[in-house]
Amino acid sequence: MPAQPQRESTYVRLARELRTAILRHDYPDGVRLPTEAELAERHGISRQTVRRAFQDLVAEGLVSRVPGRGTFATPRDEQYLRQFGSVDDLMGLSIDTRMDLVTPLHRRVDVDAAGRLGLHTDRVHTLAFLRLHEDTVFCHTAVFLPPAVGQLLKSVPELTEPGTPSAFTVIGLLDRRLPQPIAEAEQSITVAEATPELAGHLGCAPGRALLRVDRVYQSADGHLVELAISHFLPEHYSYRVRLRRSGQ
């Protein structure tokens, strides 16, 4: 029986909702976020819970707290920084970025990808795209899908024509079509050199060090449904993790 996903803490959920609103520019420069008391009443939670959510956003650099005035979104410069604490956060990339298709969805033999997805065949569906924020490319992603999963996306027009921009995420498209929702992802981060092809897409010199982020997504019924291999320019990627002592 597959492990059940852990229930999201109330303050984590509130922080995610506020983060989404900030990235959506619901609180432009000078517009105050709701107070602790307002959020506590609105969500039926304690002010301490709200305070903890705000503390996470302050630590991420998304908000600043001004004594006597309130909490405000931090002005963002051209650098694109994003915090990912859940699968929902990854789906939320469609809020303020766009996806430009590089290689349309097609079938091919890929022994390595098929093995990582636990398939009994060497054939997978694959596609590749660039992720942009305000016309700045910060990531190239290659996606590999089991044949049955790839069939679910073959009629999506945004995945069939190279150069087509869209606001979708692949996991968001899958989540609406799979029998069971995507529940978790296993992630690894390594360093890789930019190949000439990647360098051309990311606008950097061949051989430059890139951050390679591999994610394998699993549905709630325990099936591996997607392998995504992303290469980021280091200046556009920030990684943050919360560590706790066991038993705390």
Side-chain angles (χ1 to χ4, degrees):
M1 179 179 296
Q4 294 300 312
Q6 293 183 345
R7 185 176 181 180
E8 191 175 48
S9 300
T10 303
Y11 84 90
V12 172
R13 183 167 60 252
L14 176 60
R16 176 167 54 80
E17 292 175 0
L18 291 172
R19 186 184 300 113
T20 298
I22 291 167
L23 294 171
R24 200 168 50 218
H25 304 295
D26 289 356
Y27 302 103
D29 189 27
V31 176
R32 177 181 61 79
L33 272 71
T35 65
E36 290 180 4
E38 289 168 343
L39 287 169
E41 181 178 359
R42 181 184 305 173
H43 294 274
I45 56 181
S46 69
R47 291 184 62 171
Q48 182 178 0
T49 299
V50 177
R51 190 172 301 120
R52 190 167 181 186
F54 273 145
Q55 287 171 348
D56 271 15
L57 297 178
V58 170
E60 294 171 14
L62 282 175
V63 302
S64 57
R65 312 200 74 179
V66 182
R69 292 188 55 207
T71 304
F72 299 85
T74 303
R76 310 305 289 167
D77 56 20
E78 300 248 337
Q79 187 179 26
Y80 182 72
L81 298 176
R82 201 52 193 277
Q83 302 292 335
F84 301 121
S86 70
V87 172
D88 286 332
D89 289 341
L90 294 170
M91 293 183 187
L93 275 168
S94 59
I95 295 170
D96 60 349
T97 72
R98 82 168 190 264
M99 179 178 80
D100 281 8
L101 191 66
V102 173
T103 304
L105 182 67
H106 66 284
R107 291 187 67 183
R108 83 169 196 215
V109 172
D110 193 306
V111 176
D112 180 66
R116 295 182 65 181
L117 289 168
L119 302 178
H120 298 297
T121 174
D122 293 335
R123 288 190 173 274
V124 296
H125 278 73
T126 184
L127 61 101
F129 60 86
L130 301 176
R131 181 68 63 181
L132 297 87
H133 173 65
E134 296 181 351
D135 296 324
T136 297
V137 177
F138 65 89
C139 171
H140 175 280
T141 299
V143 170
F144 304 91
L145 307 167
V149 176
Q151 288 291 328
L152 300 175
L153 300 181
K154 66 178 184 179
S155 62
V156 178
E158 288 82 2
L159 301 182
T160 59
E161 292 294 331
T164 302
S166 69
F168 298 118
T169 62
V170 174
I171 55 173
L173 290 169
L174 286 176
D175 202 56
R176 296 192 292 269
R177 292 168 170 80
L178 289 167
Q180 295 290 327
I182 294 174
E184 59 184 88
E186 182 177 294
Q187 173 175 283
S188 63
I189 302 176
T190 56
V191 176
E193 289 189 355
T195 64
E197 181 183 5
L198 283 172
H201 288 310
L202 295 174
C204 66
R208 183 183 176 184
L210 303 174
L211 284 174
R212 171 174 165 162
V213 180
D214 291 23
R215 295 190 183 104
V216 179
Y217 295 91
Q218 181 174 301
S219 61
D221 56 1
H223 290 97
L224 301 180
V225 296
E226 178 186 337
L227 165 65
I229 301 176
S230 300
H231 289 86
F232 288 82
L233 292 168
E235 62 268 30
H236 294 308
Y237 187 85
S238 175
Y239 180 73
R240 177 172 176 264
V241 63
R242 182 186 301 276
L243 301 175
R244 296 181 184 272
R245 294 188 67 177
S246 59
Q248 297 297 311

